[in-house]
Amino acid sequence: MTATKALVDGAIVAKRNLIKIKRVPDLLVFSTMSPIMFILLFAYVFGSAISPGGHANYREFLIPGIFAQTVIFGSTITGAGMADDIQKGIIDRFRSLPMSRSAVLVGRTTSDLLNNVLVVVIMSVTGLIIGWRIRTGFVDAAVGFLLLLAFAYAMSWVMALVGLIVPSPEVVNNASFMLIFPFTFIANTFVPTNNFPAVLKAIANWNPVSSVTQAERELFGNTGGVPPIHTWPLEHAKVYTLLWCIFLVAVFVPLSVRQYRRAASR
Amino acid sequence: MVDVIQARGLVKTYGKLRALDGLDLAVPEGTVLGLLGPNGAGKTTAVRILTTLLTADGGSAQVAGYDIGSQASKVRSHIGVSGQYAAVDEYLTGFENLDMVGRLYGLGAKAARARATELLGRFSLEDAGDRPVKTYSGGMRRRLDLAGALVASPPVLFLDEPTTGLDPRSRIDMWEVIAELVSGGTTLLLTTQYLEEADRLADDILVIDHGRAIAQGTADELKAQVGGERVEVVVSSREDLDAARSVLAEVAIGAVQVDDHTRRLTAPVRGGAEVLMQALRGIDAAGIGVLDIALRRPTLDDVFLSLTGHAAEDAIVEAEAKPGAATVKAGDPA
């Protein structure tokens, strides 16, 4: 009963968020333009100098990394959206209604998931244009996209909590930028980690961003035949990534819902 | 009569500051209580607690017969809330806003749409119903926000400073809308900084300061306590003081006070502008030179001066000077 109500109310809130995306297309334009820009910059600027140890094709190596980076940056939209709704008093309106206590969060993360689907489609098309190829079968590729979206969804819940805590949407953007940049760069996203200094290498090998990227490379057939670095997370990239998704959802869903109950307008 | 809203000893603290310090209030069914006080008096905190948005640190309250703590969701399905800052989604149209709220109240798609159309008409927003709220004026947003509070026809309504920041024209429109609403039998708790607003809309006024009730009564009772209207005249020459005093004595309902030094005369009166004009004619006929003449009505300041010994502005300054006031300002805009 409660779960049904959360889903019904969540769908109503998600619809509201999607209307907003339609009315303010800037948000969608920027969330899709920046990954395209990243793909082009890395492929043509760094790609000319980087030869990813053993990988014949840097662009194939790069695209799964950009996928991972993009959906992580995309999760800040969830946080900024929550912070914006609090600032404008809309959360107060929602909280005074006899609706499910988790509906606003369910709705927000759902609409951001749909936004992410669109972003992934646009990135894939861009990738295909510059020479990225899926070299596996349909099932592997589908699992690859699902795993990527699952990770994006889990990250949305992390950022939802951040958005409920910080004082303004701008803080979400600035703070997350500071955290997400190193988080996505100290990983195998853009370059192989073989030559990283020891400390960074250890971080990179256990960084879930690396495992998402490794899992994508395996599922899309972009490893170039190079075996993963000899550590458990990267040798079991799909399982390790899935465990992270479960862990993030299990921890951040209840924390976010709890914070939502207390959130006050600012 | 049954008290639809009832609170006993509500306490809410932010650090060292006691935003609510044992507030009691009761609103009988079908009546309007005006919660009157300056910024920082605890009005918004009280509303947020009674509407289940905040948890009180002490005390208890029932709304529509349900406990705000243990039966919060029951309370929420019996109340409508409209805040100080119009909580409407500016990217949605007026219609979409009301339709969404209707669905979240569980009205069902068809009923929600019908209700949205009906409310847009009632609040003179039918022409703007298909436009994003971003294009609305401040007054239109407030009306839409109020419409949002009425979607489920709740028996109990909370309006937190419904006209703060509105221009005079929109304020009067809003008063008309609220007055009409109240005539339909809704129980209303209204917070305001304006005595005039409470006077116009409320059956009973509760004056609060520092989170405590300091006076309660009808507008007339409070005004009587404060000292009603008065005509103030500043004459240009000291020689005219006596002549002016006898002119004012004819319209005054009490003793005329004279301040020799500032050449100011103050006469308590009853009858508003009519009396002012009478006084003007008398002064003109007597050939008295006047620097300033005005009719003074009791304001929130006067209420505060007489009830607390400090003006409403002082209360704000005091609240801001207190440690921890920043937290209060952030969480409690009024």
Side-chain angles (χ1 to χ4, degrees), chain A residues 93-115:
Chain A
R93 161 71 83 205
F94 284 141
R95 287 179 69 233
S96 72
L97 295 177
M99 60 190 280
S100 160
R101 301 284 93 184
S102 52
V104 172
L105 290 157
V106 169
R108 169 65 63 186
T109 49
T110 305
S111 57
D112 289 342
L113 180 63
L114 295 176
N115 189 35

Side-chain angles (χ1 to χ4, degrees), chain A residues 16 23 89 92-93 95, chain B residues 48 53 81 89 91 96 145:
Chain A
R16 167 229 167 199
R23 301 259 157 83
D92 273 0
R93 161 71 83 205
R95 287 179 69 233
Chain B
R48 294 180 63 85
L53 293 176
V81 188
D89 193 318
Y91 298 106
E96 286 165 344
D145 192 55

Side-chain angles (χ1 to χ4, degrees), chain B residues 69-88:
Chain B
S70 57
Q71 297 170 299
S73 69
K74 283 278 186 197
V75 170
R76 284 191 285 265
S77 43
H78 287 82
I79 60 171
V81 188
S82 177
Q84 194 174 156
Y85 308 104
V88 286

Side-chain angles (χ1 to χ4, degrees), chain A residues 188-259:
Chain A
N188 59 2
T189 8
F190 305 108
V191 289
T193 56
N194 311 48
N195 300 326
F196 280 17
V199 176
L200 290 188
K201 194 169 175 177
I203 295 173
N205 289 343
W206 288 85
N207 186 345
V209 180
S210 293
S211 74
V212 178
T213 308
Q214 179 63 32
E216 296 307 303
R217 283 183 188 136
E218 288 169 9
L219 288 162
F220 296 138
N222 300 138
T223 56
V226 178
I229 287 189
H230 186 63
T231 53
W232 195 88
L234 295 178
E235 285 178 330
H236 304 85
K238 283 162 273 188
V239 176
Y240 185 70
T241 303
L242 197 61
L243 288 176
W244 264 98
C245 294
I246 294 167
F247 167 75
L248 293 177
V249 167
V251 170
F252 285 91
V253 170
L255 282 181
S256 299
V257 172
R258 197 180 68 135
Q259 186 64 28

Side-chain angles (χ1 to χ4, degrees), chain B residues 22-334:
Chain B
L23 182 71
D24 299 318
L25 61 83
V27 190
E29 188 173 5
T31 68
V32 180
L33 176 72
L35 206 54
L36 181 69
N39 276 328
K43 301 188 298 291
T44 297
T45 307
V47 168
R48 294 180 63 85
I49 288 173
L50 291 171
T51 55
T52 77
L53 293 176
L54 262 184
T55 328
D57 297 328
S60 65
Q62 283 83 41
V63 174
Y66 300 103
D67 185 84
I68 54 164
S70 57
Q71 297 170 299
S73 69
K74 283 278 186 197
V75 170
R76 284 191 285 265
S77 43
H78 287 82
I79 60 171
V81 188
S82 177
Q84 194 174 156
Y85 308 104
V88 286
D89 193 318
E90 51 182 5
Y91 298 106
L92 300 191
T93 65
F95 178 84
E96 286 165 344
N97 265 289
L98 297 180
D99 181 52
M100 175 181 72
V101 171
R103 284 172 193 230
L104 291 172
Y105 266 115
L107 290 189
K110 204 174 158 197
R113 275 199 299 273
R115 184 71 176 145
T117 310
E118 181 196 337
L119 284 168
L120 287 172
R122 181 159 157 203
F123 287 86
S124 320
L125 291 166
E126 59 267 77
D127 295 337
D130 292 331
R131 272 183 7 223
V133 172
K134 214 162 52 158
T135 64
Y136 285 24
S137 69
M140 290 164 78
R141 283 178 193 222
R142 289 293 177 91
R143 292 211 299 279
L144 184 65
D145 192 55
L146 179 57
L150 300 178
V151 165
S153 314
V156 189
L157 202 57
F158 293 87
L159 301 181
D160 188 18
E161 303 201 10
T163 67
T164 296
L166 289 187
D167 61 74
R169 175 73 232 156
S170 311
R171 173 168 298 157
I172 289 165
D173 284 349
M174 198 72 180
W175 284 348
E176 281 169 5
V177 167
I178 296 170
E180 194 194 311
L181 204 77
V182 168
S183 66
T186 307
T187 305
L188 169 65
L189 191 150
L190 165 96
T191 79
T192 181
Q193 304 187 43
Y194 310 112
L195 186 62
E196 194 190 352
E197 186 164 295
D199 192 358
R200 212 167 147 150
L201 299 172
D203 299 309
D204 203 18
I205 298 172
L206 184 69
V207 184
I208 69 169
D209 188 30
H210 297 315
R212 264 192 305 261
I214 53 170
Q216 183 162 16
T218 63
D220 286 340
E221 286 165 2
L222 286 176
K223 276 185 191 162
Q225 222 173 321
V226 173
E229 298 169 329
R230 50 204 179 275
V231 168
E232 283 186 4
V233 181
V234 180
V235 295
S236 40
S237 145
R238 199 155 284 151
E239 281 91 73
D240 289 335
L241 276 175
D242 280 339
R245 184 210 296 265
S246 42
V247 170
L248 287 178
E250 284 169 33
V251 297
I253 53 166
V256 179
Q257 292 181 333
V258 181
D259 183 340
D260 271 348
H261 186 67
T262 57
R263 303 188 305 280
R264 180 188 300 271
L265 300 100
T266 307
V269 297
R270 192 177 295 132
E274 200 61 44
V275 177
L276 178 63
M277 273 154 62
Q278 211 180 322
L280 271 171
R281 282 194 291 268
I283 286 167
D284 193 38
I288 300 167
V290 167
L291 283 182
D292 190 19
I293 180 160
L295 178 71
R296 288 256 292 143
R297 288 202 165 89
T299 62
L300 180 60
D301 269 344
D302 299 324
V303 173
F304 266 78
L305 269 170
S306 82
L307 292 175
T308 66
H310 66 78
E313 278 82 14
D314 294 344
I316 300 165
V317 173
E318 235 173 84
E320 283 173 351
K322 281 189 181 178
T327 335
V328 175
K329 281 190 78 188
D332 175 15

Side-chain angles (χ1 to χ4, degrees), chain A residues 108-135:
Chain A
R108 169 65 63 186
T109 49
T110 305
S111 57
D112 289 342
L113 180 63
L114 295 176
N115 189 35
N116 263 326
V117 170
L118 192 62
V119 169
V120 168
V121 168
I122 291 174
M123 280 194 301
S124 303
V125 171
T126 312
L128 290 171
I129 291 172
I130 64 156
W132 169 69
R133 292 292 177 265
I134 296 174
R135 300 189 185 282

